[in-house]
Amino acid sequence: MTGSVDLADFLPAYLAEAEELLGAAHRHLLAVEASVRRGLAHPRAVRELFRALHTIKGLSAMVDVEPIVSIAHWMETSLRLADRAGGRLPEASVEPLMEGLREIEGRVRQLAAGKQAAPVPAGLLERLEALETAASGTGPTKPASAALDLDAALSSRLSTAEREQLTAGAASGKRAVRLDFVPSAERAASGITINSVRERVAKLAETVKVLPLSGPAAGGSSLTFALLLLTDAGDDALLEAAGGPPGSVRSLASAPAAPAPARAPSEPELEAVASRVDDEPEEQRRGGGTLRVEVSRLDEAMERLAALVVNRSRLTRAVAALTAAGAPTRELTAILQENGRQLRDMRAAIIRLRMVKVADVLERLPLLVRGLRRSTGKQVRLELEVGDAELDKAVADRLLPALVHLVRNAVDHALESPEERLAAGKPEEGVVRLITHGAASGLLELCVIDDGRGVDARAVAARAGVPIPTTQDALLEVLCRPGFSTRDAADATSGRGMGMDIVRRITVDQLGGELRLETKPGAGTTFRLRVPLTITLLDALVFECAGLRYAVAVGSVEELIDVDPAKLVRPAGASGVVLVERRGSAVPVLSLERLLGREGPDGRNGAGVKALIVRQRGEPVAFAVDRLLGQQEIVLRTLEDPLVRVPGVAGATDLGDGQPTLVLDLAALGAARSGNSRRRESVPGRERAT
């Protein structure tokens, strides 16, 4: 970025909007490409793509990111021709446009990282400019020249493309004008900012560039925004859009001596189309009553709510103590109940603010599959069936890398080549589906399904040097081994032995969810991920075991049962496995006391009198505990330090007495400890833990 004015205050909003627009641009360009392959026009996608680029160009000009302005300008030019052709884009144009989007995205990321935007890559603008020539079937036609009345400070900051845009617009009959907007605290308080002015002006004119100029300005200000426009609107309308005086309007060019040849008659029509494209979606988007909020502000609100939740727990304990002492606490209890209801309402409201649509999180996956299609030479179709499902932003951010790994593996490893698929009697094109199932008990299930070759358990076992897994869970265990890969060497797509290990760590260890595998040789593979909708504020069951308190998320517990030690069954030859009867079926009982490596204060056998039943790899398992203490809302603090993170421990919480309490992930704890047990069993003389 260049320029004498510090634009740091504008950058966060610019980056957020640019990222959103780039996502939309990628989505529309993929839609255009799909239509091109079928030999069809897609006028709506072309216009939406044009609108996104046009807005990116305007925003980038406002914060003075010249490389992005230049790239967006020439992409926009080729899309105008496609729009004039009824939404038909030459197939050869897709790849250069995709390259242009990648380059813009790269520069936006550089700015987000606090770096300077890199210059435009050599040859890119020429390739984009050539699209115009190829589409029109004629050589480059320059617009009729028109003298621009620009002062030196302004002229030096205009690119060649912007200068040409102004002169061509003036040659086609539009007015080239400079509209000055002078910001002030009073205007900002009235909602008149450069962003609101830009939106109003967009309805009246094509914005070529917005330049911030420092120095004395009308009204005593030290900053002026100069908007360079092409318009048919009058000065009064433009001045009103800019909030009136001390703003001003002045012409930049006189009418051209002669109309531009060849393209001139159609330019007004194109500008009209562009204006409509700008106005309609912009109105819909900004008129929807949405407000962009920084995630850090939502995190701050969540932190303050968390403090209130902990405080309420302390208050609850204090009231309970007063009641036990015989004090009259009826009114206090009523107030406390009302306070609890209000906190729950507030929690629900804040969590709703943090929820993002799963579809929005996954919007880059089609682009990923497009790249894999090109790099692997496979024909792949990605189908997303996620509906209106939503996730907490924190969960979505952690989950996305896992889904990227699964989709990449499905295309690179699971799907056969077109020749292999035809030989196997399958369609030449493989399908990867990502679907979600409705949330229940605070959990969302996502499935990544492919119709490829399936996982060969024999080959996996040979590769890992282990016995052939006899169950799907055992096969998944091998696949998720750190460093395990079925590839001899890493390539650009995969083979570094990181994928499935990362998927399990994210899904199970970080999010406290569940990862399952279903595979059938020759028919395909399904990975099922069950993750919590949110991981910060939870309803938890608090219980006591071996003299200590623990908590577990209510959503992970299927049922609470009483345990009668006299009715426990120890089948002969079952290596000490203990079973409890539940509605006619036998459920294995695990001693949580032993799993945690603690002995009971009275030397009991750890069977417990209560049990929490959870699903472990799809099967019910009972975890025996000593005493249930109740249910309450907790604030989960994850244990980020790898030195203190333990499998089966989701984090810690404060129940209101200032003492840290571990929050357990019982399914992960049982799975981790049973794995250790199997390893100990292989050592002669070792007794198996229950």
Side-chain angles (χ1 to χ4, degrees):
M1 292 175 66
T2 61
S4 56
V5 180
D6 183 5
L7 297 174
D9 292 342
F10 298 96
L11 199 55
Y14 164 78
L15 293 173
E17 191 153 3
E19 185 177 349
E20 184 179 310
L21 290 166
L22 279 170
H26 277 119
R27 191 167 59 249
H28 294 308
L29 184 51
L30 287 173
V32 171
E33 183 185 33
S35 296
V36 167
R37 287 182 173 175
R38 296 194 300 269
L40 301 174
H42 202 326
R44 180 175 179 79
V46 167
R47 289 178 185 178
E48 289 296 313
L49 177 58
F50 175 90
R51 182 194 66 77
L53 285 166
H54 188 67
T55 308
I56 288 173
K57 186 178 78 169
L59 291 171
S60 301
M62 193 173 72
V63 294
D64 208 10
V65 190
E66 187 57 42
I68 294 180
V69 173
S70 298
I71 297 171
H73 170 75
W74 287 110
M75 294 176 68
E76 188 186 67
T77 300
S78 66
L79 289 169
R80 286 182 182 181
L81 294 170
D83 183 78
R84 184 170 58 178
R88 291 186 180 278
L89 191 71
E91 186 170 3
S93 298
V94 173
E95 198 53 45
L97 290 175
M98 197 64 77
E99 182 186 358
L101 284 181
R102 285 196 298 269
E103 295 296 341
I104 291 176
E105 187 175 32
R107 278 145 190 80
V108 170
R109 288 179 178 173
Q110 288 171 344
L111 294 172
K115 301 176 182 176
Q116 294 279 339
V120 180
L124 175 60
L125 295 186
E126 289 74 10
R127 287 194 291 279
L128 292 173
E129 189 176 3
L131 300 181
E132 180 186 17
T133 304
S136 63
T138 63
T141 53
K142 301 294 182 185
S145 61
L148 294 177
D149 181 16
L150 294 168
D151 57 44
L154 218 55
S155 181
S156 63
R157 296 174 66 180
L158 279 184
S159 67
T160 304
E162 290 158 351
R163 197 182 296 277
E164 288 181 354
Q165 188 177 357
L166 283 172
T167 54
S172 68
K174 286 191 175 294
R175 299 172 60 219
V177 299
R178 167 180 167 173
L179 172 64
D180 283 357
F181 166 68
V182 182
S184 66
E186 292 76 15
R187 289 186 162 196
S190 304
I192 304 175
T193 65
I194 182 58
N195 288 328
S196 65
V197 168
R198 188 172 57 80
E199 291 171 18
R200 289 202 294 262
V201 168
K203 301 173 184 176
L204 302 172
E206 177 186 358
T207 305
V208 177
K209 189 154 190 166
V210 181
L211 286 167
L213 303 173
S214 62
S221 177
S222 59
L223 177 66
T224 302
F225 285 95
L227 294 86
L228 308 187
L229 310 172
L230 290 170
T231 183
D232 291 323
D235 289 356
D236 292 342
L238 293 172
L239 194 56
E240 183 180 352
S248 61
V249 183
R250 68 183 177 89
S251 177
L252 293 177
S254 56
R263 292 175 56 199
S266 58
E267 280 294 325
E269 182 183 358
L270 282 177
E271 295 298 343
V273 172
S275 297
R276 287 200 305 276
V277 171
D278 262 358
D279 289 347
E280 294 167 3
E282 194 78 0
E283 280 298 308
Q284 293 169 6
R285 186 161 61 90
R286 297 192 182 280
T290 57
L291 176 67
R292 185 179 290 109
V293 179
E294 293 177 27
V295 174
S296 61
R297 296 191 179 189
L298 293 177
D299 289 341
E300 183 182 349
M302 185 66 93
E303 280 295 317
R304 294 184 184 280
L305 176 62
L308 288 175
V309 170
V310 173
N311 227 26
R312 182 180 179 278
S313 297
R314 294 177 59 191
L315 191 57
T316 302
R317 294 171 66 87
V319 171
L322 286 174
T323 304
T329 57
R330 185 172 179 179
E331 187 173 353
L332 270 178
T333 302
I335 293 173
L336 199 57
Q337 290 174 344
E338 176 64 15
N339 176 254
R341 188 189 63 75
Q342 291 170 345
L343 277 179
R344 284 187 171 279
D345 290 346
M346 187 186 298
R347 183 188 80 156
I350 292 180
I351 287 178
R352 277 200 302 274
L353 287 176
R354 296 175 55 90
M355 298 300 261
V356 295
K357 287 187 177 297
V358 176
D360 293 341
V361 176
L362 302 180
E363 66 179 5
R364 307 307 297 275
L365 288 184
L367 199 63
L368 170 71
V369 171
R370 180 185 184 276
L372 292 172
R373 196 161 48 215
R374 293 171 58 83
S375 62
T376 62
K378 296 177 180 178
Q379 296 188 26
V380 189
R381 184 174 75 253
L382 177 67
E383 296 180 353
L384 299 177
E385 301 174 25
V386 295
D388 294 328
E390 293 182 330
L391 278 173
D392 186 297
K393 179 78 167 57
V395 177
D397 287 345
R398 295 192 187 187
L399 185 63
L400 182 59
L403 295 174
V404 167
H405 277 298
L406 289 176
V407 171
R408 178 180 288 138
N409 284 351
V411 177
D412 193 34
H413 292 269
L415 294 185
E416 309 92 334
S417 67
E419 297 77 17
E420 290 172 326
R421 292 182 64 85
L422 289 174
K426 294 182 177 180
E428 196 174 13
E429 183 181 61
V431 178
V432 177
R433 299 173 63 210
L434 200 160
I435 63 177
T436 60
H437 296 295
S441 302
L443 297 171
L444 180 70
E445 182 173 280
L446 301 100
C447 298
V448 179
I449 308 167
D450 68 71
D451 65 346
R453 55 173 65 93
V455 180
D456 185 342
R458 191 179 298 274
V460 169
R463 186 82 184 177
V466 299
I468 299 174
T470 56
T471 66
Q472 306 266 342
D473 289 334
L475 177 58
L476 181 61
E477 284 293 322
V478 180
L479 291 173
C480 291
R481 286 186 170 196
F484 177 79
S485 174
T486 56
R487 286 286 175 83
D488 290 322
D491 59 23
T493 304
S494 56
R496 293 176 176 82
M498 298 173 60
M500 290 310 302
D501 180 35
I502 286 180
V503 171
R504 184 169 65 174
R505 271 194 280 139
I506 292 173
T507 307
V508 179
D509 298 342
Q510 296 182 14
L511 296 177
E514 186 181 37
L515 176 66
R516 304 293 306 282
L517 166 72
E518 298 165 18
T519 185
K520 186 176 180 182
T525 302
T526 297
F527 286 98
R528 296 185 186 278
L529 297 81
R530 296 180 80 226
V531 296
L533 298 178
T534 183
I535 54 174
T536 305
L537 286 175
L538 307 171
D539 284 323
L541 289 170
V542 183
F543 57 88
E544 190 175 89
C545 184
L548 291 179
R549 290 178 313 172
Y550 299 94
V552 61
V554 169
S556 66
V557 179
E558 187 171 296
E559 188 177 353
L560 296 170
I561 62 172
D562 293 323
V563 177
D564 183 352
K567 295 184 179 179
L568 294 177
V569 178
R570 293 176 172 80
S575 302
V577 172
V578 179
L579 303 175
V580 63
E581 188 272 338
R582 185 185 69 151
R583 294 193 292 277
S585 62
V587 176
V589 181
L590 299 180
S591 168
L592 188 57
E593 188 175 287
R594 292 187 180 178
L595 288 175
L596 295 171
R598 296 183 59 81
E599 292 296 331
D602 52 1
R604 294 172 293 101
N605 60 6
V609 295
K610 296 282 185 182
L612 312 175
I613 294 184
V614 304
R615 288 275 167 181
Q616 183 177 305
R617 295 167 179 161
E619 299 297 328
V621 178
F623 288 82
V625 302
D626 293 340
R627 190 160 62 105
L628 290 176
L629 301 177
Q631 176 178 334
Q632 74 177 75
E633 196 172 52
I634 64 167
V635 181
L636 177 65
R637 305 292 185 187
T638 55
L639 305 176
E640 298 292 349
D641 189 337
L643 295 177
V644 299
R645 291 186 63 181
V646 178
V649 178
T653 190
D654 179 357
L655 297 178
D657 58 359
Q659 298 297 318
T661 300
L662 291 180
V663 181
L664 302 180
D665 178 350
L666 293 178
L669 181 65
R673 293 299 189 270
S674 63
N676 292 338
S677 297
R678 283 195 293 272
R679 286 191 287 275
R680 285 198 297 271
E681 269 190 318
S682 63
V683 180
R686 280 283 178 84
E687 181 185 357
R688 176 178 178 174
T690 303

